[in-house]
Amino acid sequence: RQGQSQRPSAAESAVPGHGGVFSSTSTRRLLPGGGGFAPALDSMKQHGTPVGHLPPARENVELVGKIEPTREFGPISEGQIADLTVHEGFAYLNSWDEPSCRRGGTYVVDIRNPSNPREVGFIPALPVTYHGEGAQVFEFDTPAFSGDVLAVNNETCTFQDEELGAGGFDLYDVTDPRNPEILVQGFGDTGPEGSLEGDAEQANSAHNIRLWEHEGKVYAVSVDNLEFHDVDIFDVTDPRDPQPVAEFDLVEEFPQIVDELALGNQVFNHDDVIKTIGGVPYMFLSYWDAGFVKLDVSDPANPVYVGDTTYDGEDPLTGLTPPEGNGHQVEVSADNGFLLATDEDFNPYRAGAFSITTGPNAGEFPAAEVGGGASPASLPDLTLNGPTVYGGYGCTASAAIPPRDSVELPPLETGEEAIVVLQRGPTDDPQNPEEACFPGEKAANGIAAGYDAVLLVNRHLGSADLDEPFCGSGGYPPGAQIVTLCTTHEAFHRIFNTEPQFGLPVPAGDAPALGTVGEKVRGESEFDGWGYTHLYENSSGKLRRVDSYAIPEALDERFAFGFGDLSVHEFATDPTESLAYSSYYAAGFRVMSFGPDGLDEVGKYIDRDGNNFWGVEQFTTPTGERLIGASDRDFGLFIFRYTGPGAAVAP
């Protein structure tokens, strides 16, 4: 929201993990000191290309079975599979964003014989809609309904501009998994800020949904993609007729959760988990750069603050200030004594010094890297520098970006790039009434116009006090490696030697003419590693961090490019043991033991063809065997057995 005078579109409000298309980093990079390029893994067959993953590995983990669900659409597209849930011998795999915009929905897989999983069905999403992080099957036993209900979130396919997909959430009766029935589709927040009910034609895009039961009622909590801070709660006791309960802005309700904040200062609700402990339902929220928040939701209409974490001080693994942040997901240990939390980070570099290097306004300005874009560190000299050209908003529906060959740029010096400058938005700009778009769409259009790199700048937010280097995230074409950096709206004006304005609506004549050549800029990067894990005490007040852990490659700059995304994504915890199972994207499936002394990796699996794991869920078979399901974004379902220290033994 950030002080906007009107609600932004889904694209305008894009933040990491909220509807944007993830894009791996470049497959090549110049090693520090000019030592040549990192070695390519040409001998390995990988997902889509012969590069992009760590070498195969198996330690205390057995592969029980796997399946690529092909019956409905054929082979899985790159990045198509999202989250999963497992219930009563069936796995449900969400089908995510992909170029045809026709595969959104949920695959149903029979895993009662884990060594031979079988695809048995597909539940289609509404048109141009996909399901992502939200996947849960919940057992209902209420006067209104008895049976198993699958809950999934709804987001719009990003590969088209013509139609808005469904928002809110869907509920399906999967008591018979082979014959699912629709209970409700597209239900959610249709109201203005502060209300769940209003006149909107459809619900806001939603990133996650979780269900829980308390005192005979079943509730759902949904993550709103458009109202960043909000926690939306619904009564779904009758899953055919959900009812709004309330929405909360945690920053307003509990300002103590906002400390010094982490890199980027982006505060929003990303993921919610509920666990009942001692008869009290606790909600654990991942609030990105504000950390993790614990609430008592015994009365869902009046949640009570219990505790939260902080990102104050140095990053515990890199020593950088401020720490990366990106509180993404949290799970509770079997004994309820600990929280296992993940910080998701797809950019192993953070923006370093950024400056205008020529003209009367030469000097340094704030900058940030853009989720899905390639870092300036991927360039041969590790630096973005060169002359600038104003290209407008850069959306496909906006005025066309002037082609590079139509602009009189000064000759490029060695190591320079021709840089197109594009504004975030448009929003509340009477001169440009078209819808805002993802930064990846802008960047792709800039490259198509012949430029070497893209500098995004923040838009008008109503006040200079709200100006910051934030330009959204995601929407990059699959596999695209477009160097993208973000800076402030003030820097935008200084680049083109005009006086900064911030008011809304955007005044006429605020921006320079399309094709105007600006001053030269220089943007550097600093290695800060990939996303990693934390262990916290599950207590009250400011929760104590016990330990943090990253795989060794995540903190080694030699693995910044060419090995895929080495960030952690999610945790699942064992039902009785002090073990946590994690999906680690291209770093595979990881197992960690934990306790008062911290986190230790005790198992791992990376397929010989590479992996790209998104979701992870532990389940127990009718015979008592402990297994773990993991969703591979480029393939489908893997089923594992952990065999290392502390593993529970089936009776």
Side-chain angles (χ1 to χ4, degrees):
R1 294 178 308 207
Q2 311 280 332
Q4 288 130 221
S5 65
Q6 65 181 48
R7 177 178 297 182
S9 72
E12 167 69 2
S13 62
V15 289
H18 281 65
V21 179
F22 296 142
S23 176
S24 295
T25 49
S26 170
T27 58
R28 298 171 43 174
R29 81 172 296 272
L30 189 66
L31 294 176
F37 289 103
L41 307 180
D42 293 325
S43 62
M44 296 173 60
K45 178 185 176 185
Q46 306 290 354
H47 293 344
T49 68
V51 297
H53 299 272
L54 295 176
R58 299 191 185 193
E59 178 183 338
N60 295 329
V61 174
E62 293 179 357
L63 175 63
V64 176
K66 65 179 182 178
I67 183 173
E68 180 181 15
T70 60
R71 193 174 78 181
E72 191 72 20
F73 303 107
I76 295 299
S77 299
E78 182 179 356
Q80 181 188 333
I81 300 298
D83 218 341
L84 90 158
T85 189
V86 177
H87 184 75
E88 297 292 335
F90 288 83
Y92 301 84
L93 294 168
N94 279 352
S95 186
W96 201 55
D97 213 18
E98 49 77 39
S100 77
C101 292
R102 295 196 300 270
R103 297 188 178 191
T106 303
Y107 291 97
V108 183
V109 180
D110 184 341
I111 58 171
R112 288 176 293 181
N113 180 358
S115 63
N116 185 31
R118 295 185 298 114
E119 179 184 358
V120 296
F122 183 80
I123 306 171
L126 289 167
V128 299
T129 299
Y130 65 81
H131 308 316
E133 305 250 33
Q136 182 186 14
V137 175
F138 194 84
E139 295 182 9
F140 275 63
D141 186 13
T142 72
F145 185 85
S146 179
D148 298 333
V149 174
L150 170 67
V152 290
N153 70 310
N154 288 319
E155 296 175 284
T156 296
C157 178
T158 60
F159 289 88
Q160 55 80 48
D161 301 306
E162 294 77 26
E163 187 176 353
L164 185 64
F169 57 86
D170 298 348
L171 301 176
Y172 298 94
D173 180 355
V174 292
T175 308
D176 179 357
R178 292 182 179 82
N179 296 287
E181 297 181 7
I182 298 170
L183 297 171
V184 70
Q185 290 180 303
F187 190 89
D189 183 356
T190 58
E193 193 74 56
S195 174
L196 292 176
E197 298 181 273
D199 299 328
E201 294 183 2
Q202 65 182 52
N204 290 349
S205 170
H207 189 65
N208 196 294
I209 179 173
R210 286 287 166 179
L211 308 183
W212 78 98
E213 184 274 335
H214 186 60
E215 296 182 343
K217 291 188 175 183
V218 181
Y219 298 96
V221 58
S222 179
V223 171
D224 192 319
N225 281 339
L226 303 189
E227 298 169 355
F228 283 5
H229 295 172
D230 283 357
V231 180
D232 295 345
I233 297 179
F234 304 88
D235 184 334
V236 295
T237 305
D238 182 351
R240 295 183 180 90
D241 185 27
Q243 298 296 316
V245 174
E247 75 171 34
F248 306 96
D249 181 328
L250 294 193
V251 174
E252 294 179 358
E253 296 283 336
F254 312 115
Q256 64 266 42
I257 70 173
V258 179
D259 301 300
E260 293 300 316
L261 298 180
L263 180 70
N265 295 334
Q266 297 307 311
V267 177
F268 57 87
N269 185 19
H270 179 272
D271 186 279
D272 306 331
V273 170
I274 301 92
K275 186 174 184 181
T276 298
I277 304 172
V280 177
Y282 291 100
M283 184 179 294
F284 301 89
L285 304 101
S286 303
Y287 227 59
W288 215 251
D289 286 345
F292 303 93
V293 183
K294 179 181 178 181
L295 304 178
D296 177 344
V297 289
S298 299
D299 178 1
N302 296 283
V304 176
Y305 168 86
V306 178
D308 75 298
T309 69
T310 179
Y311 285 123
D312 288 359
E314 295 182 346
D315 188 288
L317 296 185
T318 67
L320 295 174
T321 303
E324 181 67 35
N326 299 3
H328 177 269
Q329 185 255 4
V330 64
E331 286 286 349
V332 185
S333 64
D335 65 2
N336 302 317
F338 297 95
L339 303 181
L340 286 298
T342 66
D343 289 355
E344 182 184 60
D345 180 17
F346 289 101
N347 287 341
Y349 288 84
R350 63 177 62 189
F354 175 80
S355 58
I356 301 172
T357 59
T358 62
N361 297 309
E364 290 196 7
F365 295 86
E369 299 207 354
V370 178
S375 169
S378 64
L379 294 167
D381 62 356
L382 314 181
T383 304
L384 172 67
N385 60 295
T388 57
V389 176
Y390 181 56
Y393 284 103
C395 298
T396 302
S398 301
I401 299 171
R404 176 177 172 178
D405 58 13
S406 70
V407 178
E408 294 185 5
L409 276 173
L412 297 184
E413 299 179 9
T414 301
E416 286 190 335
E417 293 79 39
I419 303 167
V420 62
V421 178
L422 304 173
Q423 284 200 74
R424 178 186 171 208
T427 296
D428 208 1
D429 184 347
Q431 294 74 236
N432 296 273
E434 69 271 15
E435 285 288 327
C437 65
F438 286 101
E441 180 178 318
K442 299 172 184 284
N445 289 334
I447 297 302
Y451 297 93
D452 302 317
V454 177
L455 178 64
L456 299 178
V457 298
N458 208 343
R459 60 172 177 82
H460 284 234
L461 291 172
S463 167
D465 294 337
L466 299 173
D467 192 24
E468 60 181 340
F470 176 64
C471 301
S473 175
Y476 285 78
Q481 305 300 327
I482 303 173
V483 174
T484 314
L485 202 59
C486 170
T487 189
T488 62
H489 193 74
E490 179 190 5
F492 163 57
H493 281 279
R494 301 303 187 191
I495 288 169
F496 294 99
N497 297 311
T498 58
E499 190 64 26
Q501 299 184 63
F502 304 94
L504 291 170
V506 178
D510 173 65
L514 296 179
T516 298
V517 175
E519 303 293 347
K520 289 186 177 183
V521 298
R522 177 184 177 87
E524 300 175 353
S525 295
E526 181 178 13
F527 179 75
D528 66 355
W530 298 88
Y532 56 86
T533 66
H534 298 287
L535 181 69
Y536 296 100
E537 287 184 348
N538 182 19
S539 55
S540 60
K542 292 297 178 182
L543 308 184
R544 186 178 77 88
R545 185 185 62 83
V546 178
D547 196 13
S548 298
Y549 174 79
I551 62 170
E553 296 88 347
L555 300 178
D556 187 336
E557 192 172 8
R558 294 174 299 176
F559 292 88
F561 298 93
F563 299 92
D565 296 316
L566 303 184
S567 173
V568 69
H569 187 239
E570 293 182 352
F571 265 129
T573 51
D574 193 272
T576 62
E577 309 303 315
S578 295
L579 293 170
Y581 311 105
S582 62
S583 49
Y584 231 105
Y585 288 109
F589 169 70
R590 303 282 171 145
V591 184
M592 298 178 196
S593 66
F594 59 87
D597 294 331
L599 286 158
D600 290 297
E601 184 178 298
V602 293
K604 61 183 174 182
Y605 178 95
I606 304 174
D607 196 77
R608 66 179 183 178
D609 293 336
N611 286 117
N612 190 4
F613 287 126
W614 175 309
V616 61
E617 185 158 335
Q618 188 279 330
F619 64 98
T620 304
T621 69
T623 61
E625 185 176 20
R626 298 277 170 85
L627 299 176
I628 307 99
S631 56
D632 187 303
R633 297 184 62 217
D634 305 329
F635 177 81
L637 175 67
F638 281 71
I639 300 174
F640 298 116
R641 177 188 298 112
Y642 170 64
T643 60
V649 179

